[in-house]
Amino acid sequence: MRGTRRTRLCLAGVMAASALITTPDARAAERTDGHLTDLVNPFIGTQNEGNTFPGATVPFGMVQLSPDTGHNTGYDYTQNRIRGFSLVHLSGVGCRIGGDLPVLPTTGDVTQTDYAQYAAGFSHADEEASPGYYRVGLDSGIRAELTATARTGVQRYTFPATAHANVLLNAAQALHRPVTSTVEILDDHTVRTAVTGHGFCRDTDPYTVYTITRFDRPFTAYGTWDGTALTPGSRTGHGGAYVRFDTTRDRTVEATTALSYVDAGGAAANLRAEGGRPFDAVRLRARAAWERRLSTVRVNGGDPARRRTFYSSLYRSFLAPNVGSDADGRYLGWDRRIHRSRGFTYYQNWSLWDTYRTQAQLLALLAPREARDMARSVVRIDEDGGWLPKWGYGPVETNVMSGDPVTPFLTTAYEMGLLKGFEEETYRALRKNADSVPPADYPGIGREANADYIARGFAPYIWNRPYAKMGDSDYHHGASVTLEYALADAMLAQMARGLGHDADAARYAARSRNYRNVFDPATGFFRPRDGSGAFTGSADPARSPGFHEGSAWQYQWLVPQDLPGTVALIGGEQAANDRLDTFFAYDRLLADPESTAREVWVHGGAYDYYNAATYNPMNEPDLIAPYTYLSTGQPWKTTDVVHAALTLFTDGPTGITGNDDLGTMSAWNVLSSIGLFPVQPGYGTWGLSTPVFDRVDLTLDPRFWPGGRLTVTAPGTSAADRYIQAVRADGRPEPRTYVTTARLRSLRTLAFTVGPHPSEWGTSPGAAPPVLR
């Protein structure tokens, strides 16, 4: 076996090629100097359903002030008309949400109330964006500029010389579906609105967004509209309002809009707390906030395009979750009552099915203070509303996606030391979530199939089962839900053991093996079982039903708690490696990694999740899959696959494959580029692969990371030299393919030695990530 392995090592080294890392001679720079914000391109992902937005925000800001062009999630680079600059956007979501209060400057008479009709044309040649700032020249001759604070959006409009310079504030139209809206002109500087709506894939319970907009100069005229009926001089309405200025001499108009999910008083308080500053001062503060955030990671080496994609991904990783509490600490809880956060910032917007795999770990590493508050906020949802969330938007549950993503999200926080002082409180909420189902009168579904899963060891696949509540049903995805529940149980077992709840730990650890109950020996793949317990659906693993946004091929490696057990079910290490090679089209990958990634893995559009037998780097179910080779004795193949996947991240509008999902894909790029990846999401295991930069310096918060700094080096990493020969942790040899969070916490340096051929590093017994028992 050793001889066979060495032969494969040599062949892989001879055949290897990579479009990701440039050779040393092609490197444009060895250090990242100057302003890191200059390396960020907010337009990345705005085309081909990446669903990012190019507008202005600050890290984790409540407000994301950005143009809407007609795409259902906001901005599409291929479109050339702007309907308005609205306050709320979520980066990379796949369904319509936000877009509240689109504002647009116009000239002349106001005759239209539908923003699709009065939309303004623009050209990308007269458009720019950078962290905290957006600018565009409209065909009307108006220049629009946007910047933001945490709870306000600031606009500056430069008009032509005219006595009819208008600003339209549309309360009745948004990306979601408004139910009711009101608009009030309070005085000659101020407009107030309230928009109640619902949306996101399916209708949620309604929620209300309150705004107040303060202009820096008085209006010369104003009016409101209801439907298509415009009423000049009116101060109230339900559709929208227009305000007019004379710009024949002073051509610039500035306005600050504050947002609150609590009430009109909250919006006014946020305006008092964060408004009142000139546009340029706000812009400089926003840029400085982003510079501080990005400077937690400094990379040396790599070509300019690779550095731009890296820092743009790092930027997107810090866009969400979002501040949910007002400046006075008040927030609207999931019980629809007003609460106050004391001693922490309350956050909202939880795309947990996505973010538990990558972004949660990245934020715990680079933004632990905020990540701690985010974990506290999720626990508060349980305290206020009675249950932990699944996919939360603002103060409502959407029930989008399936499984139990909140458990690995919170156990990640526990493993990273973020829950000190409220570990038991968090554990009680997780235990309730893991052992029961929300009551019928609660809008969330929690672990909907839990009764069957606990009693029978699997979640049945019942496609024609009626929706009990809004959103997705776990019963419609029984096979993948069983895997997700089992993963969550494994992570909760580790937390229970750490807190001394040994009986619970043993119970959850036993349940974590339930993945075996959906393995079909006849096909050699996971497969759904129906209500009677029989395997059902197509025997073709590429076409089997019962898997959420994927196939049995993609989900077969989602057992990070026990990969050796999965390997044994498949038929052993050799059979598993052969299947992995098929899954990644490995032979073709060695010959042409970039075309393999784009032509074999990416087999359709952003939403083509099903009927595929290969890796899908566009979606979440198999994001961990490239790191499976760390557990099958062939760690060099992880580097080959990861580096091929990284070629899919480019520095143009199409530079993300599929939805970014609130930073999930971006965080995958960041972590994989550094060479540290959370291979057991929810537990403290970081898989190692070859970094794409010669050196990465991480500045860490010493309150959570005692050393305050971690330096990862891989001198000479390149297309020719990308295979790990050895790893040294603080100068000591590290033969394993992973490090633990506890070990990482004490490290100062992690040094990779790379070379042109795969080596024996990471292939010894005991080198693989642990089994969680």
Side-chain angles (χ1 to χ4, degrees), residues 563-589:
L563 278 173
T566 307
V567 168
L569 290 176
I570 290 172
E573 191 174 279
Q574 184 63 54
N577 279 321
D578 289 345
R579 187 175 290 185
L580 282 164
D581 289 351
T582 300
F583 181 60
F584 291 114
Y586 187 72
D587 288 344
R588 177 170 174 175
L589 170 69

PDB file of all heavy atoms in Angstrom, residues 563-589:
ATOM      1  N   LEU A 563     -16.310  10.583   9.779  1.00  0.00           N
ATOM      2  CA  LEU A 563     -15.960  10.202   8.406  1.00  0.00           C
ATOM      3  C   LEU A 563     -15.439   8.776   8.309  1.00  0.00           C
ATOM      4  O   LEU A 563     -15.745   8.073   7.337  1.00  0.00           O
ATOM      5  CB  LEU A 563     -14.954  11.202   7.832  1.00  0.00           C
ATOM      6  CG  LEU A 563     -15.577  12.497   7.278  1.00  0.00           C
ATOM      7  CD1 LEU A 563     -14.501  13.490   6.885  1.00  0.00           C
ATOM      8  CD2 LEU A 563     -16.490  12.200   6.093  1.00  0.00           C
ATOM      9  N   PRO A 564     -14.654   8.277   9.282  1.00  0.00           N
ATOM     10  CA  PRO A 564     -14.259   6.866   9.190  1.00  0.00           C
ATOM     11  C   PRO A 564     -15.466   5.919   9.141  1.00  0.00           C
ATOM     12  O   PRO A 564     -15.429   4.901   8.445  1.00  0.00           O
ATOM     13  CB  PRO A 564     -13.426   6.652  10.457  1.00  0.00           C
ATOM     14  CG  PRO A 564     -12.842   7.992  10.733  1.00  0.00           C
ATOM     15  CD  PRO A 564     -13.946   8.961  10.374  1.00  0.00           C
ATOM     16  N   GLY A 565     -16.534   6.240   9.863  1.00  0.00           N
ATOM     17  CA  GLY A 565     -17.734   5.418   9.793  1.00  0.00           C
ATOM     18  C   GLY A 565     -18.353   5.446   8.415  1.00  0.00           C
ATOM     19  O   GLY A 565     -18.803   4.417   7.899  1.00  0.00           O
ATOM     20  N   THR A 566     -18.371   6.616   7.801  1.00  0.00           N
ATOM     21  CA  THR A 566     -18.894   6.734   6.443  1.00  0.00           C
ATOM     22  C   THR A 566     -18.025   5.972   5.456  1.00  0.00           C
ATOM     23  O   THR A 566     -18.531   5.276   4.565  1.00  0.00           O
ATOM     24  CB  THR A 566     -18.969   8.218   6.043  1.00  0.00           C
ATOM     25  OG1 THR A 566     -19.701   8.941   7.023  1.00  0.00           O
ATOM     26  CG2 THR A 566     -19.613   8.384   4.685  1.00  0.00           C
ATOM     27  N   VAL A 567     -16.721   6.100   5.617  1.00  0.00           N
ATOM     28  CA  VAL A 567     -15.783   5.382   4.748  1.00  0.00           C
ATOM     29  C   VAL A 567     -16.009   3.879   4.855  1.00  0.00           C
ATOM     30  O   VAL A 567     -15.988   3.144   3.852  1.00  0.00           O
ATOM     31  CB  VAL A 567     -14.335   5.772   5.097  1.00  0.00           C
ATOM     32  CG1 VAL A 567     -13.334   4.821   4.424  1.00  0.00           C
ATOM     33  CG2 VAL A 567     -14.061   7.209   4.686  1.00  0.00           C
ATOM     34  N   ALA A 568     -16.229   3.394   6.062  1.00  0.00           N
ATOM     35  CA  ALA A 568     -16.471   1.962   6.253  1.00  0.00           C
ATOM     36  C   ALA A 568     -17.749   1.532   5.549  1.00  0.00           C
ATOM     37  O   ALA A 568     -17.803   0.455   4.933  1.00  0.00           O
ATOM     38  CB  ALA A 568     -16.540   1.644   7.740  1.00  0.00           C
ATOM     39  N   LEU A 569     -18.799   2.357   5.616  1.00  0.00           N
ATOM     40  CA  LEU A 569     -20.042   2.018   4.919  1.00  0.00           C
ATOM     41  C   LEU A 569     -19.828   1.940   3.411  1.00  0.00           C
ATOM     42  O   LEU A 569     -20.396   1.077   2.733  1.00  0.00           O
ATOM     43  CB  LEU A 569     -21.116   3.064   5.234  1.00  0.00           C
ATOM     44  CG  LEU A 569     -21.688   3.089   6.653  1.00  0.00           C
ATOM     45  CD1 LEU A 569     -22.656   4.252   6.804  1.00  0.00           C
ATOM     46  CD2 LEU A 569     -22.384   1.780   6.989  1.00  0.00           C
ATOM     47  N   ILE A 570     -19.018   2.838   2.887  1.00  0.00           N
ATOM     48  CA  ILE A 570     -18.763   2.866   1.446  1.00  0.00           C
ATOM     49  C   ILE A 570     -17.971   1.647   0.995  1.00  0.00           C
ATOM     50  O   ILE A 570     -18.125   1.166  -0.130  1.00  0.00           O
ATOM     51  CB  ILE A 570     -18.035   4.174   1.071  1.00  0.00           C
ATOM     52  CG1 ILE A 570     -18.989   5.364   1.225  1.00  0.00           C
ATOM     53  CG2 ILE A 570     -17.480   4.126  -0.347  1.00  0.00           C
ATOM     54  CD1 ILE A 570     -18.324   6.713   1.073  1.00  0.00           C
ATOM     55  N   GLY A 571     -17.122   1.109   1.884  1.00  0.00           N
ATOM     56  CA  GLY A 571     -16.334  -0.067   1.505  1.00  0.00           C
ATOM     57  C   GLY A 571     -14.862   0.054   1.806  1.00  0.00           C
ATOM     58  O   GLY A 571     -14.067  -0.749   1.318  1.00  0.00           O
ATOM     59  N   GLY A 572     -14.488   1.068   2.578  1.00  0.00           N
ATOM     60  CA  GLY A 572     -13.090   1.206   2.958  1.00  0.00           C
ATOM     61  C   GLY A 572     -12.420   2.392   2.305  1.00  0.00           C
ATOM     62  O   GLY A 572     -12.992   3.074   1.446  1.00  0.00           O
ATOM     63  N   GLU A 573     -11.171   2.616   2.719  1.00  0.00           N
ATOM     64  CA  GLU A 573     -10.446   3.810   2.292  1.00  0.00           C
ATOM     65  C   GLU A 573     -10.247   3.874   0.792  1.00  0.00           C
ATOM     66  O   GLU A 573     -10.410   4.920   0.163  1.00  0.00           O
ATOM     67  CB  GLU A 573      -9.105   3.870   3.019  1.00  0.00           C
ATOM     68  CG  GLU A 573      -8.372   5.183   2.863  1.00  0.00           C
ATOM     69  CD  GLU A 573      -7.129   5.247   3.715  1.00  0.00           C
ATOM     70  OE1 GLU A 573      -7.245   5.540   4.914  1.00  0.00           O
ATOM     71  OE2 GLU A 573      -6.023   4.983   3.159  1.00  0.00           O
ATOM     72  N   GLN A 574      -9.889   2.750   0.178  1.00  0.00           N
ATOM     73  CA  GLN A 574      -9.671   2.754  -1.265  1.00  0.00           C
ATOM     74  C   GLN A 574     -10.950   3.084  -2.019  1.00  0.00           C
ATOM     75  O   GLN A 574     -10.963   3.899  -2.949  1.00  0.00           O
ATOM     76  CB  GLN A 574      -9.134   1.394  -1.721  1.00  0.00           C
ATOM     77  CG  GLN A 574      -8.792   1.340  -3.203  1.00  0.00           C
ATOM     78  CD  GLN A 574      -7.673   2.296  -3.585  1.00  0.00           C
ATOM     79  OE1 GLN A 574      -6.601   2.256  -2.994  1.00  0.00           O
ATOM     80  NE2 GLN A 574      -7.929   3.169  -4.544  1.00  0.00           N
ATOM     81  N   ALA A 575     -12.059   2.458  -1.602  1.00  0.00           N
ATOM     82  CA  ALA A 575     -13.333   2.728  -2.258  1.00  0.00           C
ATOM     83  C   ALA A 575     -13.749   4.179  -2.070  1.00  0.00           C
ATOM     84  O   ALA A 575     -14.270   4.821  -2.993  1.00  0.00           O
ATOM     85  CB  ALA A 575     -14.403   1.790  -1.712  1.00  0.00           C
ATOM     86  N   ALA A 576     -13.504   4.725  -0.872  1.00  0.00           N
ATOM     87  CA  ALA A 576     -13.856   6.117  -0.618  1.00  0.00           C
ATOM     88  C   ALA A 576     -13.023   7.055  -1.470  1.00  0.00           C
ATOM     89  O   ALA A 576     -13.549   8.033  -2.038  1.00  0.00           O
ATOM     90  CB  ALA A 576     -13.676   6.435   0.859  1.00  0.00           C
ATOM     91  N   ASN A 577     -11.728   6.807  -1.577  1.00  0.00           N
ATOM     92  CA  ASN A 577     -10.878   7.669  -2.401  1.00  0.00           C
ATOM     93  C   ASN A 577     -11.256   7.578  -3.872  1.00  0.00           C
ATOM     94  O   ASN A 577     -11.238   8.586  -4.593  1.00  0.00           O
ATOM     95  CB  ASN A 577      -9.410   7.313  -2.191  1.00  0.00           C
ATOM     96  CG  ASN A 577      -8.852   7.935  -0.930  1.00  0.00           C
ATOM     97  OD1 ASN A 577      -9.170   9.075  -0.604  1.00  0.00           O
ATOM     98  ND2 ASN A 577      -8.015   7.210  -0.211  1.00  0.00           N
ATOM     99  N   ASP A 578     -11.599   6.384  -4.335  1.00  0.00           N
ATOM    100  CA  ASP A 578     -12.038   6.252  -5.727  1.00  0.00           C
ATOM    101  C   ASP A 578     -13.308   7.061  -5.964  1.00  0.00           C
ATOM    102  O   ASP A 578     -13.462   7.728  -6.987  1.00  0.00           O
ATOM    103  CB  ASP A 578     -12.286   4.784  -6.065  1.00  0.00           C
ATOM    104  CG  ASP A 578     -10.997   3.978  -6.160  1.00  0.00           C
ATOM    105  OD1 ASP A 578      -9.913   4.591  -6.238  1.00  0.00           O
ATOM    106  OD2 ASP A 578     -11.080   2.734  -6.139  1.00  0.00           O
ATOM    107  N   ARG A 579     -14.216   7.011  -4.991  1.00  0.00           N
ATOM    108  CA  ARG A 579     -15.456   7.763  -5.150  1.00  0.00           C
ATOM    109  C   ARG A 579     -15.197   9.258  -5.094  1.00  0.00           C
ATOM    110  O   ARG A 579     -15.796  10.039  -5.843  1.00  0.00           O
ATOM    111  CB  ARG A 579     -16.467   7.352  -4.079  1.00  0.00           C
ATOM    112  CG  ARG A 579     -17.828   7.995  -4.305  1.00  0.00           C
ATOM    113  CD  ARG A 579     -18.863   7.486  -3.325  1.00  0.00           C
ATOM    114  NE  ARG A 579     -19.219   6.100  -3.569  1.00  0.00           N
ATOM    115  CZ  ARG A 579     -20.174   5.444  -2.900  1.00  0.00           C
ATOM    116  NH1 ARG A 579     -20.860   6.079  -1.948  1.00  0.00           N
ATOM    117  NH2 ARG A 579     -20.447   4.189  -3.176  1.00  0.00           N
ATOM    118  N   LEU A 580     -14.315   9.676  -4.197  1.00  0.00           N
ATOM    119  CA  LEU A 580     -13.952  11.093  -4.142  1.00  0.00           C
ATOM    120  C   LEU A 580     -13.336  11.539  -5.462  1.00  0.00           C
ATOM    121  O   LEU A 580     -13.642  12.634  -5.968  1.00  0.00           O
ATOM    122  CB  LEU A 580     -12.968  11.341  -2.998  1.00  0.00           C
ATOM    123  CG  LEU A 580     -13.552  11.414  -1.591  1.00  0.00           C
ATOM    124  CD1 LEU A 580     -12.446  11.265  -0.550  1.00  0.00           C
ATOM    125  CD2 LEU A 580     -14.304  12.724  -1.376  1.00  0.00           C
ATOM    126  N   ASP A 581     -12.461  10.735  -6.023  1.00  0.00           N
ATOM    127  CA  ASP A 581     -11.833  11.094  -7.298  1.00  0.00           C
ATOM    128  C   ASP A 581     -12.874  11.257  -8.397  1.00  0.00           C
ATOM    129  O   ASP A 581     -12.791  12.172  -9.233  1.00  0.00           O
ATOM    130  CB  ASP A 581     -10.810  10.026  -7.703  1.00  0.00           C
ATOM    131  CG  ASP A 581      -9.566  10.032  -6.827  1.00  0.00           C
ATOM    132  OD1 ASP A 581      -9.409  10.970  -6.022  1.00  0.00           O
ATOM    133  OD2 ASP A 581      -8.759   9.093  -6.949  1.00  0.00           O
ATOM    134  N   THR A 582     -13.866  10.371  -8.405  1.00  0.00           N
ATOM    135  CA  THR A 582     -14.947  10.487  -9.385  1.00  0.00           C
ATOM    136  C   THR A 582     -15.758  11.755  -9.137  1.00  0.00           C
ATOM    137  O   THR A 582     -16.090  12.499 -10.063  1.00  0.00           O
ATOM    138  CB  THR A 582     -15.864   9.254  -9.314  1.00  0.00           C
ATOM    139  OG1 THR A 582     -15.105   8.080  -9.605  1.00  0.00           O
ATOM    140  CG2 THR A 582     -17.015   9.380 -10.288  1.00  0.00           C
ATOM    141  N   PHE A 583     -16.072  12.000  -7.872  1.00  0.00           N
ATOM    142  CA  PHE A 583     -16.879  13.146  -7.477  1.00  0.00           C
ATOM    143  C   PHE A 583     -16.241  14.456  -7.916  1.00  0.00           C
ATOM    144  O   PHE A 583     -16.927  15.371  -8.388  1.00  0.00           O
ATOM    145  CB  PHE A 583     -17.041  13.095  -5.956  1.00  0.00           C
ATOM    146  CG  PHE A 583     -17.872  14.181  -5.348  1.00  0.00           C
ATOM    147  CD1 PHE A 583     -19.204  14.353  -5.712  1.00  0.00           C
ATOM    148  CD2 PHE A 583     -17.349  15.019  -4.374  1.00  0.00           C
ATOM    149  CE1 PHE A 583     -19.981  15.338  -5.117  1.00  0.00           C
ATOM    150  CE2 PHE A 583     -18.118  16.003  -3.778  1.00  0.00           C
ATOM    151  CZ  PHE A 583     -19.438  16.169  -4.150  1.00  0.00           C
ATOM    152  N   PHE A 584     -14.921  14.553  -7.780  1.00  0.00           N
ATOM    153  CA  PHE A 584     -14.216  15.785  -8.130  1.00  0.00           C
ATOM    154  C   PHE A 584     -13.640  15.759  -9.549  1.00  0.00           C
ATOM    155  O   PHE A 584     -12.966  16.713  -9.936  1.00  0.00           O
ATOM    156  CB  PHE A 584     -13.085  16.038  -7.134  1.00  0.00           C
ATOM    157  CG  PHE A 584     -13.551  16.402  -5.757  1.00  0.00           C
ATOM    158  CD1 PHE A 584     -13.321  15.567  -4.683  1.00  0.00           C
ATOM    159  CD2 PHE A 584     -14.249  17.580  -5.536  1.00  0.00           C
ATOM    160  CE1 PHE A 584     -13.756  15.892  -3.411  1.00  0.00           C
ATOM    161  CE2 PHE A 584     -14.692  17.922  -4.268  1.00  0.00           C
ATOM    162  CZ  PHE A 584     -14.455  17.072  -3.199  1.00  0.00           C
ATOM    163  N   ALA A 585     -13.923  14.693 -10.319  1.00  0.00           N
ATOM    164  CA  ALA A 585     -13.327  14.546 -11.658  1.00  0.00           C
ATOM    165  C   ALA A 585     -11.820  14.778 -11.559  1.00  0.00           C
ATOM    166  O   ALA A 585     -11.234  15.583 -12.300  1.00  0.00           O
ATOM    167  CB  ALA A 585     -13.974  15.504 -12.647  1.00  0.00           C
ATOM    168  N   TYR A 586     -11.181  14.047 -10.645  1.00  0.00           N
ATOM    169  CA  TYR A 586      -9.820  14.369 -10.231  1.00  0.00           C
ATOM    170  C   TYR A 586      -8.802  14.255 -11.359  1.00  0.00           C
ATOM    171  O   TYR A 586      -7.906  15.104 -11.473  1.00  0.00           O
ATOM    172  CB  TYR A 586      -9.414  13.481  -9.057  1.00  0.00           C
ATOM    173  CG  TYR A 586      -8.074  13.860  -8.464  1.00  0.00           C
ATOM    174  CD1 TYR A 586      -7.938  15.030  -7.717  1.00  0.00           C
ATOM    175  CD2 TYR A 586      -6.950  13.078  -8.681  1.00  0.00           C
ATOM    176  CE1 TYR A 586      -6.715  15.403  -7.185  1.00  0.00           C
ATOM    177  CE2 TYR A 586      -5.718  13.438  -8.145  1.00  0.00           C
ATOM    178  CZ  TYR A 586      -5.611  14.600  -7.403  1.00  0.00           C
ATOM    179  OH  TYR A 586      -4.391  14.967  -6.877  1.00  0.00           O
ATOM    180  N   ASP A 587      -8.909  13.242 -12.198  1.00  0.00           N
ATOM    181  CA  ASP A 587      -7.932  13.116 -13.285  1.00  0.00           C
ATOM    182  C   ASP A 587      -7.987  14.319 -14.216  1.00  0.00           C
ATOM    183  O   ASP A 587      -6.952  14.858 -14.629  1.00  0.00           O
ATOM    184  CB  ASP A 587      -8.178  11.824 -14.073  1.00  0.00           C
ATOM    185  CG  ASP A 587      -7.769  10.591 -13.291  1.00  0.00           C
ATOM    186  OD1 ASP A 587      -7.030  10.736 -12.295  1.00  0.00           O
ATOM    187  OD2 ASP A 587      -8.197   9.485 -13.662  1.00  0.00           O
ATOM    188  N   ARG A 588      -9.192  14.735 -14.566  1.00  0.00           N
ATOM    189  CA  ARG A 588      -9.321  15.918 -15.416  1.00  0.00           C
ATOM    190  C   ARG A 588      -8.865  17.161 -14.665  1.00  0.00           C
ATOM    191  O   ARG A 588      -8.269  18.069 -15.250  1.00  0.00           O
ATOM    192  CB  ARG A 588     -10.764  16.073 -15.880  1.00  0.00           C
ATOM    193  CG  ARG A 588     -10.989  17.330 -16.700  1.00  0.00           C
ATOM    194  CD  ARG A 588     -12.330  17.368 -17.359  1.00  0.00           C
ATOM    195  NE  ARG A 588     -12.557  18.662 -18.011  1.00  0.00           N
ATOM    196  CZ  ARG A 588     -13.609  18.969 -18.750  1.00  0.00           C
ATOM    197  NH1 ARG A 588     -14.543  18.055 -18.963  1.00  0.00           N
ATOM    198  NH2 ARG A 588     -13.738  20.165 -19.291  1.00  0.00           N
ATOM    199  N   LEU A 589      -9.150  17.194 -13.372  1.00  0.00           N
ATOM    200  CA  LEU A 589      -8.747  18.324 -12.551  1.00  0.00           C
ATOM    201  C   LEU A 589      -7.241  18.551 -12.601  1.00  0.00           C
ATOM    202  O   LEU A 589      -6.775  19.695 -12.700  1.00  0.00           O
ATOM    203  CB  LEU A 589      -9.196  18.078 -11.105  1.00  0.00           C
ATOM    204  CG  LEU A 589      -8.670  19.017 -10.021  1.00  0.00           C
ATOM    205  CD1 LEU A 589      -9.280  20.389 -10.192  1.00  0.00           C
ATOM    206  CD2 LEU A 589      -8.991  18.467  -8.646  1.00  0.00           C
TER     207      LEU A 589
END
